[in-house]
Amino acid sequence: MGRANGMPYLFVNPTYIMKGIEMPKLKTKSSAKKRFSVTGTGKLKRNFANKRHCLFCKSQKMKRQARGTTLLSEVDAQIVKKFLPYL
């Protein structure tokens, strides 16, 4: 009923017991942390696509509307938040 060093389990520091029960750390997806950021209210921001190359064949309207950032929809945000557990 005692431990190897002679101390009974009754006197073990509780933090040592809890360390065995804790859930493992979750990894953050590197691709998601590069592409998304969080606003002050907790919503997710994203950039627009199709702005890297071959811009001469894209319309001026498309290039203008793809400026800046926009908020992610709620459905997509739920998926992305699983990839970013420590926001």
Side-chain angles (χ1 to χ4, degrees):
M1 194 154 148
R3 295 179 55 195
N5 62 3
M7 270 182 92
Y9 283 109
L10 182 61
F11 297 108
V12 174
N13 188 344
T15 56
Y16 292 128
I17 296 170
M18 291 303 292
K19 280 188 178 178
I21 301 171
E22 284 180 10
M23 294 297 289
K25 292 180 182 177
L26 298 173
K27 283 194 173 183
T28 299
K29 293 272 187 182
S30 295
S31 59
K33 72 182 175 187
K34 293 171 190 173
R35 288 172 171 80
F36 303 102
S37 59
V38 185
T39 63
T41 57
K43 296 176 183 173
L44 289 173
K45 283 193 308 187
R46 69 168 178 88
N47 290 317
F48 287 95
N50 304 320
K51 286 273 294 190
R52 295 291 179 206
H53 54 83
C54 297
L55 295 176
F56 60 89
C57 60
K58 295 182 174 86
S59 70
Q60 190 64 36
K61 180 181 178 181
M62 182 266 160
K63 291 186 279 189
R64 186 175 58 247
Q65 289 179 344
R67 272 188 212 140
T69 59
T70 186
L71 294 177
L72 217 57
S73 67
E74 290 299 320
V75 177
D76 292 333
Q78 290 175 0
I79 297 168
V80 173
K81 282 183 179 179
K82 290 179 184 174
F83 300 150
L84 302 167
Y86 303 108
L87 284 180

